[in-house]
Amino acid sequence: MSNIPEDLKYATSHEWVRNEGDGTFTVGITEHAQELLGDMVFVELPEVGDDVDAGDDCAVAESVKAASDIYSPLSGEIVAVNGDLEDSPETVNSDPYGDGWLFKVKASDDSELSNLLDAEGYQNSIDED
């Protein structure tokens, strides 16, 4: 069973979202997603300043098994990316909810959070897979 922190929100496409309380939201992929992908070998991140819409593919996680698009769970502007992943993409595997975060978005519409799942809802969604 995957670790699914209760304090995060989740997209059915396996991204997690942490509200930083200042209008920005940190985004990563879930433990379940990194387990499915396997060992990360490369992570392509968006550019700081990019505008994204909820559901846009804006990053790519490449593992020994496959490359997978990463979708922005929220609309807004990319305000930070985790540059440490360029040299250490395996951090996504070892710490998906901590140092393995991917990017931060300044949300243009906080109400989009209501479209995301809580931990129980996400657990139910992966149980159905």
Side-chain angles (χ1 to χ4, degrees):
M1 176 180 273
S2 295
N3 175 26
I4 304 174
E6 295 282 332
D7 61 331
L8 303 177
K9 296 290 236 174
Y10 300 90
T12 55
S13 50
H14 307 295
E15 293 83 10
W16 57 260
V17 177
R18 176 181 298 120
N19 187 344
E20 299 299 342
D22 61 358
T24 65
F25 297 85
T26 302
V27 177
I29 63 170
T30 65
E31 183 174 288
H32 176 74
Q34 66 83 21
E35 287 173 348
L36 290 175
L37 287 167
D39 295 337
M40 293 293 159
V41 294
F42 181 74
V43 179
E44 181 182 325
L45 298 170
E47 297 286 327
V48 171
D50 284 356
D51 287 319
V52 294
D53 289 325
D56 280 357
D57 59 285
C58 62
V60 176
E62 189 173 329
S63 71
V64 293
K65 291 183 181 176
S68 181
D69 289 333
I70 308 297
Y71 302 94
S72 180
L74 300 169
S75 299
E77 179 184 352
I78 303 295
V79 293
V81 298
N82 188 353
D84 293 342
L85 297 180
E86 281 185 32
D87 294 329
S88 303
E90 67 278 4
T91 306
V92 174
N93 296 112
S94 62
D95 193 9
Y97 299 114
D99 291 341
W101 65 277
L102 300 176
F103 58 89
K104 296 184 181 194
V105 61
K106 183 172 179 57
S108 59
D109 183 359
D110 288 358
S111 70
E112 290 176 349
L113 273 175
S114 65
N115 298 331
L116 300 175
L117 302 170
D118 61 13
E120 182 180 349
Y122 181 67
Q123 179 67 58
N124 290 338
S125 79
I126 61 176
D127 286 347
E128 293 170 5
D129 286 343

